[in-house]
Amino acid sequence: AQTVTQSQPEMSVQEAETVTLSCTYDTSESNYYLFWYKQPPSRQMILVIRQEAYKQQNATENRFSVNFQKAAKSFSLKISDSQLGDTAMYFCAFMKTGSARQLTFGSGTQLTVLP
Amino acid sequence: NAGVTQTPKFRVLKTGQSMTLLCAQDMNHEYMYWYRQDPGMGLRLIHYSVGEGTTAKGEVPDGYNVSRLKKQNFLLGLESAAPSQTSVYFCASSRSGQETQYFGPGTRLLVL
């Protein structure tokens, strides 16, 4: 079974600054996907970024980027130029390839962007 | 295009009552999922379906049943609600062969 660990329950950052959220995972699979989801106070789950394990290049989506270290089983999210709208709970999630595509989530990091 | 919708948005039940949560998607997705989210925890998979007429158990299936009679709908049933089932329930769907899951807005359930 896979496990996903987010060791930072809460973090804060000043507006316009950069913040990095940590995530580690444990798996014996070689092919999988990793995701970061954002959950604002509205509770809607929003996909922020995803990474295919077979790709060495780190994924980037505008102000969001990841540092994927496959050997270390680490998948951190960097948010640049933080905005007030980035305030949310952030979940790291793992999906092994194959049938059903089930997601395994970490416990989340509550990020607060301070004005 | 409504995406994934969930009915109801909020419900209060008494212990022992039954209810059904409805998930509907208009994206013609093959796969559908039910998750629950409890305080301090990430989402956990309850049941999922890879196609019409098929369902399978996830990580926390006890106390729940599901049905997928139509491709666009995925029902989650609680036959005899318990306080431990107080949670926020999320439905999600995805296309076969695609890894991105699209989530509904959630249903908050309180069991007294």
Side-chain angles (χ1 to χ4, degrees):
Chain A
Q2 287 65 231
T3 59
V4 178
T5 302
Q6 294 179 248
S7 58
Q8 305 153 313
E10 297 180 359
M11 294 188 72
S12 62
V13 62
Q14 291 294 138
E15 196 174 6
E17 296 294 309
T18 296
V19 64
T20 299
L21 281 58
S22 301
C23 172
T24 59
Y25 59 95
D26 188 23
T27 184
S28 58
E29 303 286 333
S30 57
N31 295 319
Y32 50 88
Y33 299 93
L34 294 163
F35 304 83
W36 279 98
Y37 277 90
K38 166 185 176 181
Q39 187 179 44
S42 66
R43 281 207 311 256
Q44 182 70 47
M45 293 290 288
I46 302 166
L47 177 64
V48 175
I49 199 166
R50 73 181 190 199
Q51 174 80 43
E52 292 89 340
Y54 65 87
K55 290 186 177 179
Q56 292 186 332
Q57 186 173 5
N58 290 325
T60 300
E61 287 287 343
N62 300 313
R63 297 183 295 107
F64 299 88
S65 62
V66 298
N67 184 6
F68 173 48
Q69 301 290 326
K70 190 172 184 178
K73 296 181 181 176
S74 171
F75 183 61
S76 61
L77 174 69
K78 186 172 82 171
I79 305 174
S80 303
D81 186 25
S82 296
Q83 300 175 0
L84 295 178
D86 296 333
T87 292
M89 181 73 84
Y90 287 81
F91 291 99
C92 178
F94 172 100
M95 176 190 286
K96 66 179 183 179
T97 57
S99 65
R101 308 292 178 110
Q102 302 173 54
L103 279 167
T104 299
F105 286 85
S107 56
T109 295
Q110 175 64 49
L111 176 67
T112 301
V113 179
L114 304 170
Chain B
N1 211 1
V4 180
T5 58
Q6 293 183 230
T7 308
K9 289 183 172 54
F10 174 65
R11 182 79 182 268
V12 178
L13 286 180
K14 293 182 180 178
T15 297
Q17 287 185 319
S18 64
M19 80 162 293
T20 300
L21 281 66
L22 170 64
C23 175
Q25 52 94 5
D26 61 2
M27 296 175 284
N28 202 35
H29 286 170
E30 292 79 13
Y31 295 169
M32 295 186 75
Y33 310 81
W34 275 109
Y35 294 89
R36 60 177 288 172
Q37 182 179 24
D38 300 304
M41 302 180 74
L43 281 68
R44 292 181 292 167
L45 183 65
I46 305 172
H47 285 281
Y48 64 96
S49 168
V50 299
E52 186 177 324
T54 69
T55 63
K57 294 180 181 180
E59 181 186 353
V60 288
D62 293 343
Y64 305 95
N65 56 75
V66 289
S67 64
R68 183 105 181 264
L69 299 179
K70 293 183 179 180
K71 185 177 184 180
Q72 64 268 33
N73 295 338
F74 194 28
L75 305 179
L76 178 70
L78 287 73
E79 291 187 349
S80 180
S84 61
Q85 294 178 305
T86 292
S87 189
V88 180
Y89 292 86
F90 286 94
C91 176
S93 71
S94 66
R95 188 173 301 283
S96 174
Q98 299 293 318
E99 63 279 356
T100 299
Q101 292 185 15
Y102 297 86
F103 284 82
T107 294
R108 183 167 167 248
L109 177 65
L110 177 61
V111 183
L112 302 175

PDB file of all heavy atoms in Angstrom, chain B residues 43-69:
ATOM      1  N   LEU B  43      -8.406  13.027   1.861  1.00  0.00           N
ATOM      2  CA  LEU B  43      -9.540  12.255   1.361  1.00  0.00           C
ATOM      3  C   LEU B  43      -9.176  10.769   1.334  1.00  0.00           C
ATOM      4  O   LEU B  43      -8.049  10.398   0.981  1.00  0.00           O
ATOM      5  CB  LEU B  43      -9.923  12.709  -0.044  1.00  0.00           C
ATOM      6  CG  LEU B  43     -10.750  13.980  -0.160  1.00  0.00           C
ATOM      7  CD1 LEU B  43      -9.968  15.207   0.260  1.00  0.00           C
ATOM      8  CD2 LEU B  43     -11.269  14.135  -1.594  1.00  0.00           C
ATOM      9  N   ARG B  44     -10.167   9.950   1.690  1.00  0.00           N
ATOM     10  CA  ARG B  44      -9.970   8.503   1.642  1.00  0.00           C
ATOM     11  C   ARG B  44     -11.029   7.888   0.744  1.00  0.00           C
ATOM     12  O   ARG B  44     -12.208   8.225   0.843  1.00  0.00           O
ATOM     13  CB  ARG B  44     -10.030   7.907   3.051  1.00  0.00           C
ATOM     14  CG  ARG B  44      -8.865   8.303   3.950  1.00  0.00           C
ATOM     15  CD  ARG B  44      -8.977   7.646   5.312  1.00  0.00           C
ATOM     16  NE  ARG B  44     -10.111   8.165   6.066  1.00  0.00           N
ATOM     17  CZ  ARG B  44     -10.595   7.600   7.165  1.00  0.00           C
ATOM     18  NH1 ARG B  44     -10.041   6.479   7.634  1.00  0.00           N
ATOM     19  NH2 ARG B  44     -11.621   8.129   7.798  1.00  0.00           N
ATOM     20  N   LEU B  45     -10.614   6.946  -0.059  1.00  0.00           N
ATOM     21  CA  LEU B  45     -11.494   6.350  -1.048  1.00  0.00           C
ATOM     22  C   LEU B  45     -12.439   5.346  -0.403  1.00  0.00           C
ATOM     23  O   LEU B  45     -12.008   4.421   0.290  1.00  0.00           O
ATOM     24  CB  LEU B  45     -10.663   5.666  -2.134  1.00  0.00           C
ATOM     25  CG  LEU B  45     -11.425   5.053  -3.291  1.00  0.00           C
ATOM     26  CD1 LEU B  45     -12.142   6.133  -4.105  1.00  0.00           C
ATOM     27  CD2 LEU B  45     -10.481   4.265  -4.187  1.00  0.00           C
ATOM     28  N   ILE B  46     -13.736   5.500  -0.678  1.00  0.00           N
ATOM     29  CA  ILE B  46     -14.745   4.601  -0.126  1.00  0.00           C
ATOM     30  C   ILE B  46     -15.038   3.475  -1.115  1.00  0.00           C
ATOM     31  O   ILE B  46     -14.864   2.287  -0.816  1.00  0.00           O
ATOM     32  CB  ILE B  46     -16.051   5.366   0.191  1.00  0.00           C
ATOM     33  CG1 ILE B  46     -15.782   6.546   1.119  1.00  0.00           C
ATOM     34  CG2 ILE B  46     -17.077   4.421   0.818  1.00  0.00           C
ATOM     35  CD1 ILE B  46     -16.986   7.464   1.309  1.00  0.00           C
ATOM     36  N   HIS B  47     -15.551   3.844  -2.278  1.00  0.00           N
ATOM     37  CA  HIS B  47     -15.835   2.909  -3.359  1.00  0.00           C
ATOM     38  C   HIS B  47     -15.538   3.606  -4.673  1.00  0.00           C
ATOM     39  O   HIS B  47     -15.497   4.829  -4.733  1.00  0.00           O
ATOM     40  CB  HIS B  47     -17.316   2.500  -3.360  1.00  0.00           C
ATOM     41  CG  HIS B  47     -17.722   1.543  -2.297  1.00  0.00           C
ATOM     42  ND1 HIS B  47     -17.490   0.187  -2.374  1.00  0.00           N
ATOM     43  CD2 HIS B  47     -18.376   1.748  -1.122  1.00  0.00           C
ATOM     44  CE1 HIS B  47     -17.985  -0.407  -1.302  1.00  0.00           C
ATOM     45  NE2 HIS B  47     -18.524   0.518  -0.522  1.00  0.00           N
ATOM     46  N   TYR B  48     -15.394   2.820  -5.711  1.00  0.00           N
ATOM     47  CA  TYR B  48     -15.205   3.401  -7.024  1.00  0.00           C
ATOM     48  C   TYR B  48     -15.848   2.510  -8.081  1.00  0.00           C
ATOM     49  O   TYR B  48     -16.242   1.365  -7.805  1.00  0.00           O
ATOM     50  CB  TYR B  48     -13.718   3.624  -7.326  1.00  0.00           C
ATOM     51  CG  TYR B  48     -12.881   2.365  -7.400  1.00  0.00           C
ATOM     52  CD1 TYR B  48     -12.616   1.751  -8.619  1.00  0.00           C
ATOM     53  CD2 TYR B  48     -12.337   1.810  -6.247  1.00  0.00           C
ATOM     54  CE1 TYR B  48     -11.848   0.604  -8.685  1.00  0.00           C
ATOM     55  CE2 TYR B  48     -11.551   0.665  -6.306  1.00  0.00           C
ATOM     56  CZ  TYR B  48     -11.314   0.071  -7.523  1.00  0.00           C
ATOM     57  OH  TYR B  48     -10.555  -1.075  -7.589  1.00  0.00           O
ATOM     58  N   SER B  49     -15.940   3.058  -9.286  1.00  0.00           N
ATOM     59  CA  SER B  49     -16.551   2.324 -10.392  1.00  0.00           C
ATOM     60  C   SER B  49     -15.768   2.610 -11.670  1.00  0.00           C
ATOM     61  O   SER B  49     -15.431   3.761 -11.947  1.00  0.00           O
ATOM     62  CB  SER B  49     -18.006   2.770 -10.578  1.00  0.00           C
ATOM     63  OG  SER B  49     -18.529   2.285 -11.787  1.00  0.00           O
ATOM     64  N   VAL B  50     -15.478   1.566 -12.418  1.00  0.00           N
ATOM     65  CA  VAL B  50     -14.748   1.741 -13.678  1.00  0.00           C
ATOM     66  C   VAL B  50     -15.678   1.672 -14.879  1.00  0.00           C
ATOM     67  O   VAL B  50     -15.225   1.733 -16.023  1.00  0.00           O
ATOM     68  CB  VAL B  50     -13.599   0.725 -13.825  1.00  0.00           C
ATOM     69  CG1 VAL B  50     -12.594   0.911 -12.687  1.00  0.00           C
ATOM     70  CG2 VAL B  50     -14.122  -0.695 -13.852  1.00  0.00           C
ATOM     71  N   GLY B  51     -16.962   1.544 -14.615  1.00  0.00           N
ATOM     72  CA  GLY B  51     -17.914   1.545 -15.710  1.00  0.00           C
ATOM     73  C   GLY B  51     -19.312   1.238 -15.216  1.00  0.00           C
ATOM     74  O   GLY B  51     -19.509   0.776 -14.086  1.00  0.00           O
ATOM     75  N   GLU B  52     -20.270   1.487 -16.096  1.00  0.00           N
ATOM     76  CA  GLU B  52     -21.669   1.234 -15.763  1.00  0.00           C
ATOM     77  C   GLU B  52     -21.847  -0.207 -15.317  1.00  0.00           C
ATOM     78  O   GLU B  52     -21.368  -1.129 -15.962  1.00  0.00           O
ATOM     79  CB  GLU B  52     -22.519   1.525 -17.006  1.00  0.00           C
ATOM     80  CG  GLU B  52     -23.991   1.446 -16.821  1.00  0.00           C
ATOM     81  CD  GLU B  52     -24.721   1.825 -18.104  1.00  0.00           C
ATOM     82  OE1 GLU B  52     -24.233   2.722 -18.821  1.00  0.00           O
ATOM     83  OE2 GLU B  52     -25.759   1.201 -18.402  1.00  0.00           O
ATOM     84  N   GLY B  53     -22.512  -0.374 -14.182  1.00  0.00           N
ATOM     85  CA  GLY B  53     -22.789  -1.706 -13.691  1.00  0.00           C
ATOM     86  C   GLY B  53     -21.673  -2.354 -12.896  1.00  0.00           C
ATOM     87  O   GLY B  53     -21.835  -3.478 -12.408  1.00  0.00           O
ATOM     88  N   THR B  54     -20.545  -1.691 -12.729  1.00  0.00           N
ATOM     89  CA  THR B  54     -19.416  -2.257 -11.975  1.00  0.00           C
ATOM     90  C   THR B  54     -19.031  -1.339 -10.836  1.00  0.00           C
ATOM     91  O   THR B  54     -19.001  -0.121 -10.983  1.00  0.00           O
ATOM     92  CB  THR B  54     -18.176  -2.462 -12.862  1.00  0.00           C
ATOM     93  OG1 THR B  54     -17.653  -1.178 -13.228  1.00  0.00           O
ATOM     94  CG2 THR B  54     -18.510  -3.230 -14.116  1.00  0.00           C
ATOM     95  N   THR B  55     -18.760  -1.932  -9.672  1.00  0.00           N
ATOM     96  CA  THR B  55     -18.282  -1.171  -8.527  1.00  0.00           C
ATOM     97  C   THR B  55     -17.215  -1.984  -7.804  1.00  0.00           C
ATOM     98  O   THR B  55     -17.143  -3.205  -7.967  1.00  0.00           O
ATOM     99  CB  THR B  55     -19.417  -0.836  -7.537  1.00  0.00           C
ATOM    100  OG1 THR B  55     -19.950  -2.045  -7.013  1.00  0.00           O
ATOM    101  CG2 THR B  55     -20.515  -0.028  -8.209  1.00  0.00           C
ATOM    102  N   ALA B  56     -16.414  -1.297  -7.008  1.00  0.00           N
ATOM    103  CA  ALA B  56     -15.360  -1.978  -6.253  1.00  0.00           C
ATOM    104  C   ALA B  56     -15.087  -1.213  -4.970  1.00  0.00           C
ATOM    105  O   ALA B  56     -15.375  -0.013  -4.872  1.00  0.00           O
ATOM    106  CB  ALA B  56     -14.083  -2.084  -7.079  1.00  0.00           C
ATOM    107  N   LYS B  57     -14.539  -1.920  -3.975  1.00  0.00           N
ATOM    108  CA  LYS B  57     -14.269  -1.317  -2.676  1.00  0.00           C
ATOM    109  C   LYS B  57     -12.955  -0.542  -2.700  1.00  0.00           C
ATOM    110  O   LYS B  57     -11.990  -0.944  -3.340  1.00  0.00           O
ATOM    111  CB  LYS B  57     -14.188  -2.408  -1.606  1.00  0.00           C
ATOM    112  CG  LYS B  57     -15.494  -3.117  -1.366  1.00  0.00           C
ATOM    113  CD  LYS B  57     -15.349  -4.187  -0.287  1.00  0.00           C
ATOM    114  CE  LYS B  57     -16.663  -4.905  -0.061  1.00  0.00           C
ATOM    115  NZ  LYS B  57     -16.540  -5.958   0.986  1.00  0.00           N
ATOM    116  N   GLY B  58     -12.959   0.552  -1.951  1.00  0.00           N
ATOM    117  CA  GLY B  58     -11.752   1.323  -1.761  1.00  0.00           C
ATOM    118  C   GLY B  58     -11.142   1.063  -0.406  1.00  0.00           C
ATOM    119  O   GLY B  58     -11.229  -0.052   0.124  1.00  0.00           O
ATOM    120  N   GLU B  59     -10.583   2.077   0.184  1.00  0.00           N
ATOM    121  CA  GLU B  59      -9.860   1.951   1.457  1.00  0.00           C
ATOM    122  C   GLU B  59     -10.796   1.816   2.656  1.00  0.00           C
ATOM    123  O   GLU B  59     -10.498   1.089   3.605  1.00  0.00           O
ATOM    124  CB  GLU B  59      -8.965   3.180   1.637  1.00  0.00           C
ATOM    125  CG  GLU B  59      -8.140   3.191   2.902  1.00  0.00           C
ATOM    126  CD  GLU B  59      -7.383   4.508   3.090  1.00  0.00           C
ATOM    127  OE1 GLU B  59      -7.402   5.356   2.162  1.00  0.00           O
ATOM    128  OE2 GLU B  59      -6.782   4.695   4.157  1.00  0.00           O
ATOM    129  N   VAL B  60     -11.931   2.523   2.646  1.00  0.00           N
ATOM    130  CA  VAL B  60     -12.833   2.544   3.805  1.00  0.00           C
ATOM    131  C   VAL B  60     -14.268   2.252   3.379  1.00  0.00           C
ATOM    132  O   VAL B  60     -15.157   3.097   3.490  1.00  0.00           O
ATOM    133  CB  VAL B  60     -12.737   3.893   4.567  1.00  0.00           C
ATOM    134  CG1 VAL B  60     -11.431   4.001   5.299  1.00  0.00           C
ATOM    135  CG2 VAL B  60     -12.919   5.062   3.605  1.00  0.00           C
ATOM    136  N   PRO B  61     -14.591   1.036   2.925  1.00  0.00           N
ATOM    137  CA  PRO B  61     -15.919   0.756   2.370  1.00  0.00           C
ATOM    138  C   PRO B  61     -17.004   0.374   3.380  1.00  0.00           C
ATOM    139  O   PRO B  61     -18.199   0.392   3.042  1.00  0.00           O
ATOM    140  CB  PRO B  61     -15.637  -0.438   1.455  1.00  0.00           C
ATOM    141  CG  PRO B  61     -14.541  -1.170   2.175  1.00  0.00           C
ATOM    142  CD  PRO B  61     -13.672  -0.094   2.806  1.00  0.00           C
ATOM    143  N   ASP B  62     -16.611   0.040   4.621  1.00  0.00           N
ATOM    144  CA  ASP B  62     -17.583  -0.505   5.564  1.00  0.00           C
ATOM    145  C   ASP B  62     -18.663   0.512   5.905  1.00  0.00           C
ATOM    146  O   ASP B  62     -18.386   1.657   6.242  1.00  0.00           O
ATOM    147  CB  ASP B  62     -16.869  -0.964   6.842  1.00  0.00           C
ATOM    148  CG  ASP B  62     -15.956  -2.149   6.592  1.00  0.00           C
ATOM    149  OD1 ASP B  62     -16.118  -2.803   5.530  1.00  0.00           O
ATOM    150  OD2 ASP B  62     -15.083  -2.421   7.417  1.00  0.00           O
ATOM    151  N   GLY B  63     -19.919   0.057   5.868  1.00  0.00           N
ATOM    152  CA  GLY B  63     -21.057   0.898   6.203  1.00  0.00           C
ATOM    153  C   GLY B  63     -21.650   1.627   5.013  1.00  0.00           C
ATOM    154  O   GLY B  63     -22.629   2.363   5.167  1.00  0.00           O
ATOM    155  N   TYR B  64     -21.073   1.415   3.836  1.00  0.00           N
ATOM    156  CA  TYR B  64     -21.529   2.092   2.622  1.00  0.00           C
ATOM    157  C   TYR B  64     -21.822   1.082   1.518  1.00  0.00           C
ATOM    158  O   TYR B  64     -21.177   0.042   1.432  1.00  0.00           O
ATOM    159  CB  TYR B  64     -20.475   3.068   2.106  1.00  0.00           C
ATOM    160  CG  TYR B  64     -20.001   4.087   3.092  1.00  0.00           C
ATOM    161  CD1 TYR B  64     -18.849   3.872   3.846  1.00  0.00           C
ATOM    162  CD2 TYR B  64     -20.685   5.292   3.271  1.00  0.00           C
ATOM    163  CE1 TYR B  64     -18.401   4.801   4.755  1.00  0.00           C
ATOM    164  CE2 TYR B  64     -20.236   6.238   4.173  1.00  0.00           C
ATOM    165  CZ  TYR B  64     -19.094   5.981   4.912  1.00  0.00           C
ATOM    166  OH  TYR B  64     -18.649   6.918   5.811  1.00  0.00           O
ATOM    167  N   ASN B  65     -22.774   1.446   0.665  1.00  0.00           N
ATOM    168  CA  ASN B  65     -22.984   0.686  -0.561  1.00  0.00           C
ATOM    169  C   ASN B  65     -23.091   1.669  -1.708  1.00  0.00           C
ATOM    170  O   ASN B  65     -23.397   2.845  -1.511  1.00  0.00           O
ATOM    171  CB  ASN B  65     -24.230  -0.196  -0.471  1.00  0.00           C
ATOM    172  CG  ASN B  65     -25.484   0.597  -0.136  1.00  0.00           C
ATOM    173  OD1 ASN B  65     -26.033   1.303  -0.985  1.00  0.00           O
ATOM    174  ND2 ASN B  65     -25.937   0.504   1.100  1.00  0.00           N
ATOM    175  N   VAL B  66     -22.819   1.189  -2.897  1.00  0.00           N
ATOM    176  CA  VAL B  66     -22.839   2.058  -4.072  1.00  0.00           C
ATOM    177  C   VAL B  66     -23.522   1.352  -5.225  1.00  0.00           C
ATOM    178  O   VAL B  66     -23.630   0.125  -5.255  1.00  0.00           O
ATOM    179  CB  VAL B  66     -21.409   2.479  -4.513  1.00  0.00           C
ATOM    180  CG1 VAL B  66     -20.793   3.457  -3.535  1.00  0.00           C
ATOM    181  CG2 VAL B  66     -20.527   1.257  -4.712  1.00  0.00           C
ATOM    182  N   SER B  67     -23.977   2.163  -6.173  1.00  0.00           N
ATOM    183  CA  SER B  67     -24.529   1.604  -7.400  1.00  0.00           C
ATOM    184  C   SER B  67     -24.234   2.536  -8.557  1.00  0.00           C
ATOM    185  O   SER B  67     -24.222   3.765  -8.392  1.00  0.00           O
ATOM    186  CB  SER B  67     -26.030   1.363  -7.275  1.00  0.00           C
ATOM    187  OG  SER B  67     -26.720   2.585  -7.103  1.00  0.00           O
ATOM    188  N   ARG B  68     -24.016   1.927  -9.731  1.00  0.00           N
ATOM    189  CA  ARG B  68     -23.732   2.692 -10.947  1.00  0.00           C
ATOM    190  C   ARG B  68     -24.611   2.111 -12.064  1.00  0.00           C
ATOM    191  O   ARG B  68     -24.160   1.386 -12.929  1.00  0.00           O
ATOM    192  CB  ARG B  68     -22.252   2.566 -11.306  1.00  0.00           C
ATOM    193  CG  ARG B  68     -21.853   3.393 -12.541  1.00  0.00           C
ATOM    194  CD  ARG B  68     -21.097   4.598 -12.174  1.00  0.00           C
ATOM    195  NE  ARG B  68     -20.735   5.396 -13.336  1.00  0.00           N
ATOM    196  CZ  ARG B  68     -19.555   5.323 -13.956  1.00  0.00           C
ATOM    197  NH1 ARG B  68     -18.636   4.460 -13.525  1.00  0.00           N
ATOM    198  NH2 ARG B  68     -19.301   6.097 -14.986  1.00  0.00           N
ATOM    199  N   LEU B  69     -25.887   2.463 -11.993  1.00  0.00           N
ATOM    200  CA  LEU B  69     -26.841   1.941 -12.972  1.00  0.00           C
ATOM    201  C   LEU B  69     -26.756   2.688 -14.290  1.00  0.00           C
ATOM    202  O   LEU B  69     -27.063   2.134 -15.355  1.00  0.00           O
ATOM    203  CB  LEU B  69     -28.256   2.005 -12.398  1.00  0.00           C
ATOM    204  CG  LEU B  69     -28.479   1.181 -11.124  1.00  0.00           C
ATOM    205  CD1 LEU B  69     -29.911   1.333 -10.640  1.00  0.00           C
ATOM    206  CD2 LEU B  69     -28.151  -0.291 -11.369  1.00  0.00           C
TER     207      LEU B  69
END
